[in-house]
Amino acid sequence: MSHPHPELPDPPPLADGGLRIVALGGLGEIGRNMAVFEYDGRLLIVDCGVLFPEPDQPGVDLILPDFEYIRDRLDDVEALILTHGHEDHIGAVPYLLRERRDIPLVGSKLTLAFIEAKLTEHRIQPAKIEVVEGQRDRFGPFDCEFLAVNHSIPDALAVAIRTPAGLVLHTGDFKMDQLPSDGRLTDLGAMARLGSEGVDLLMSDSTNAEVPGFVTSEREIGPVVDEVIRTSEKRVIVASFASHVHRVQQVMDSAAKYGRKVALVGRSMVRNMGIARDLGYLQVPPELIVDSRDIEEWPPEDVVLICTGSQGEPMAALSRMANRDHPIRIAEGDTVLLASSLVPGNETAVNKVINGLTRWGARVVHKGNAKVHVSGHAAAGELLYVLNLTRPSNFMPVHGEWRHLRAHARLASLTGVPDDHIVIAEDGVVVDLIDGQAKIVGAVHAGYVYVDGSSVGEITDTSLKDRRILGDEGFISVVVVVDSQTGKLTAGPEIYARGSGIDPMQFDEFIPQIERALEAKAADGVVDMQEIRRVVRRTVGRWVSDTYRRRPMIIPVVVEV
């Protein structure tokens, strides 16, 4: 197998007739999916998604791919293909279009409708090209064929990309539900046809590569949802992804069956389900929907609420309900149904929400105690099926953490793909398909770009480290006034502390140590303000560490007179 290396060089110029693939996100992580294809000087992008922050990234709202690799070549981009409408595949599109607004967006009807609604908030009118499964279009040198795949959102697509360098099949996110609730099957016949034609490189979803067998059908969830709503004595509150149309349909069907009204809670949920209903992907019985602001007028036993927050997001509706920071108040006897899978890394946040809901008397039904969700990603049995159908000459696992990529690579090896034709890459690693073989040839920068409020890219890893220190250890600020000519202390030190856990009275005993350290530097003729700051920082830091075994942020402020 071809493995990435931490010291990979800059890639050489792409050889004539070769195809270059660079993932700017989605390899070694769950989310931020973005792959750039290059042939004959032209570029094609597949997906442009976001990654959601973890607890050790305080203040960060979203994490984007780094566009630096293509920033000077945006005019070479033929199109941006969006495989489906999940945030980890479309969430970064507004930020890319800020840099070139007329990049054609290619996708299915629902996917384009979701991204258009998002772009409206950014005041961007996109150039759209709607495609359907079975359609074949050319974008510059890229001949693209679109295949239906089943996923946890309607209208998902895989894409086969043909160039003179070879045929690449990119599955996007998919599974092989044989009884999908919308009747739209993954097109295995088309995959087999492509396999007969000759797939030179298969790039396949790895998220569930460690899970044996086949994913359970969505239809098996319906009876469980039905039972929860039937047996609940008071309100039912269902938390789901704002894009999971299938799950919302199941909830609405059960609510209608038992004479309950449905209220949608959360801006993204209201927006997405409105789009899905208008386009015919969501069937809403007459007079089923009521405004969430009027929900208190209905008896609790006649109500179902569908909201966001299944991943414990702090600002989502469910988290705010758990914290009693929402107009809808959780009451004794309510039932809360977490109808989604648990995204890795969100376990602590979700458990906190479950505990908060339980505190107010709610019964919480979740994946850990009931069959209320099935994954949208193919398990190992399905991945093997696709590998055997397509019989690729080369294989590159995508969309997953390292353990998922390696597990998927092992599956490819078992099906007969030669080990030296299996490429395990990470974000930024450059893979060239030349003369029928895919090889790693170098690497480009593909770091995190943080969105914090209205700022994009201004927050760095150093900033986050400072935030973590402030959050964990607090800070100490030391103000001194020194003579700019002699370096001698003329006033201070004055010490201010927040969150450090240190008794301010203790500083009075310590101030003479700072004075002695500064006097010693002045005696040596030191007048450089930067050096004086370092002396203050080291002196305070050593005292705090020795006395309290703590490492707060120390901010020396030196005023010259």
Side-chain angles (χ1 to χ4, degrees):
M1 296 181 189
S2 183
H3 299 287
H5 190 279
E7 303 297 331
L8 283 171
D10 292 337
L14 178 58
D16 290 342
L19 176 68
R20 175 160 289 177
I21 303 107
V22 182
L24 298 182
L27 302 186
E29 60 194 2
I30 303 289
R32 213 170 60 112
N33 299 291
M34 183 177 182
V36 179
F37 296 81
E38 177 181 355
Y39 182 83
D40 195 23
R42 306 302 293 174
L43 304 177
L44 179 74
I45 303 172
V46 175
D47 290 328
C48 187
V50 296
L51 181 68
F52 292 102
E54 300 203 6
D56 64 347
Q57 294 162 328
V60 174
D61 299 316
L62 297 170
I63 304 171
L64 310 178
D66 189 342
F67 303 140
E68 188 61 33
Y69 171 64
I70 59 172
R71 184 161 280 123
D72 295 335
R73 300 190 56 191
L74 290 173
D75 289 340
D76 296 335
V77 177
E78 295 286 352
L80 167 54
I81 294 173
L82 302 171
T83 58
H84 63 281
H86 280 152
E87 285 293 301
D88 58 336
H89 291 257
I90 68 171
V93 172
Y95 301 93
L96 180 62
L97 293 193
R98 286 183 187 181
E99 307 202 21
R100 181 189 154 196
R101 291 188 170 232
D102 64 343
I103 296 176
L105 305 184
V106 182
S108 63
K109 181 188 292 186
L110 185 65
T111 302
L112 291 180
F114 277 1
I115 189 59
E116 185 173 24
K118 180 181 292 291
L119 289 170
T120 298
E121 298 177 4
H122 290 258
R123 299 180 182 177
I124 297 174
Q125 184 60 43
K128 301 181 298 179
I129 300 174
E130 184 180 318
V131 295
V132 297
E133 54 262 33
Q135 187 169 333
R136 190 164 167 176
D137 279 315
R138 178 173 287 275
F139 307 100
F142 305 98
D143 178 359
C144 299
E145 180 181 351
F146 300 93
L147 287 65
V149 291
N150 186 254
H151 188 41
S152 55
I153 187 173
D155 252 8
L157 296 169
V159 57
I161 303 168
R162 294 177 175 89
T163 67
L167 167 60
V168 178
L169 174 59
H170 191 303
T171 67
D173 286 354
F174 82 102
K175 61 178 177 177
M176 288 165 49
D177 191 339
Q178 300 303 295
L179 294 170
S181 54
D182 62 358
R184 186 173 179 270
L185 295 163
T186 293
D187 195 345
L188 302 179
M191 290 186 180
R193 172 174 52 78
L194 292 171
S196 298
E197 179 182 333
V199 173
D200 295 284
L201 175 64
L202 173 63
M203 300 172 66
S204 183
D205 175 16
S206 307
T207 309
N208 268 352
E210 292 184 307
V211 179
F214 283 63
V215 171
T216 305
S217 173
E218 286 281 351
R219 294 201 180 187
E220 294 194 20
I221 305 305
V224 182
V225 172
D226 195 85
E227 181 68 9
V228 169
I229 293 176
R230 185 185 69 81
T231 58
S232 296
E233 296 180 358
K234 292 189 177 180
R235 286 182 304 186
V236 178
I237 300 165
V238 180
S240 174
F241 290 121
S243 56
H244 204 330
V245 179
H246 302 319
R247 189 71 70 249
V248 171
Q249 183 71 71
Q250 289 172 324
V251 174
M252 285 188 172
D253 290 345
S254 292
K257 180 178 178 181
Y258 295 109
R260 290 182 181 244
K261 298 294 183 182
V262 172
L264 300 175
V265 182
R267 187 167 58 92
S268 58
M269 179 67 73
V270 172
R271 181 192 66 197
N272 286 354
M273 292 309 118
I275 292 170
R277 180 189 58 208
D278 293 345
L279 295 180
Y281 293 93
L282 184 67
Q283 308 302 317
V284 182
E287 300 182 357
L288 178 71
I289 301 292
V290 296
D291 194 304
S292 61
R293 290 170 294 190
D294 302 328
I295 206 67
E296 299 296 339
E297 298 177 9
W298 294 87
E301 63 273 14
D302 292 342
V303 170
V304 173
L305 295 93
I306 306 176
C307 68
T308 55
S310 61
Q311 299 304 305
E313 305 95 314
M315 295 308 294
L318 192 66
S319 295
R320 292 173 58 205
M321 291 178 200
N323 294 330
R324 284 290 169 97
D325 183 30
H326 195 279
I328 296 170
R329 312 282 282 186
I330 298 294
E332 187 78 33
D334 286 347
T335 298
V336 178
L337 174 61
L338 300 181
S340 66
S341 60
L342 193 57
V343 174
N346 291 347
E347 295 87 354
T348 300
V350 172
N351 287 333
K352 182 178 179 182
V353 170
I354 291 174
N355 280 319
L357 296 167
T358 306
R359 177 186 180 189
W360 306 119
R363 175 174 72 108
V364 182
V365 181
H366 54 88
K367 192 177 180 182
N369 58 24
K371 191 69 175 178
V372 292
H373 182 74
V374 296
S375 176
H377 301 271
E382 297 156 84
L383 298 177
L384 285 168
Y385 204 103
V386 169
L387 282 160
N388 286 322
L389 272 181
T390 57
R391 301 188 301 279
S393 302
N394 299 272
F395 176 69
M396 179 176 169
V398 295
H399 301 176
E401 297 174 347
W402 270 104
R403 57 198 178 100
H404 307 128
L405 302 181
R406 290 197 180 277
H408 204 173
R410 285 193 292 272
L411 296 177
S413 180
L414 289 172
T415 63
V417 180
D419 283 352
D420 61 349
H421 286 240
I422 298 173
V423 177
I424 305 178
E426 59 186 328
D427 295 342
V429 167
V430 179
V431 177
D432 284 356
L433 179 62
I434 300 174
D435 296 330
Q437 182 160 7
K439 291 184 178 179
I440 291 173
V441 298
V444 299
H445 181 72
Y448 284 0
V449 174
Y450 300 106
V451 178
D452 182 357
S454 60
S455 76
V456 179
E458 297 175 18
I459 300 300
T460 64
D461 288 330
T462 301
S463 305
L464 290 179
K465 181 180 178 183
D466 289 346
R467 289 181 179 183
R468 287 192 292 270
I469 292 172
L470 286 169
D472 294 339
E473 302 284 352
F475 79 93
I476 298 173
S477 177
V478 184
V479 182
V480 296
V481 181
V482 299
D483 188 312
S484 61
Q485 300 299 317
T486 65
K488 290 184 177 180
L489 184 69
T490 63
E494 294 184 12
I495 303 179
Y496 306 91
R498 291 289 185 275
S500 64
I502 299 173
D503 183 355
M505 299 295 291
Q506 299 296 316
F507 291 131
D508 294 339
E509 301 176 11
F510 168 63
I511 283 175
Q513 292 186 36
I514 304 176
E515 293 172 341
R516 288 194 295 271
L518 291 176
E519 287 170 1
K521 285 296 177 180
D524 292 339
V526 174
V527 295
D528 178 64
M529 295 300 119
Q530 197 66 26
E531 178 61 23
I532 292 173
R533 289 189 189 94
R534 279 196 288 268
V535 170
V536 173
R537 182 181 290 111
R538 282 199 298 265
T539 304
V540 176
R542 189 181 304 114
W543 176 76
V544 173
S545 178
D546 292 346
T547 307
Y548 293 96
R549 296 292 187 267
R550 303 204 64 179
R551 298 178 65 86
M553 180 175 289
I554 298 166
I555 307 171
V557 180
V558 179
V559 181
E560 300 178 68
V561 294

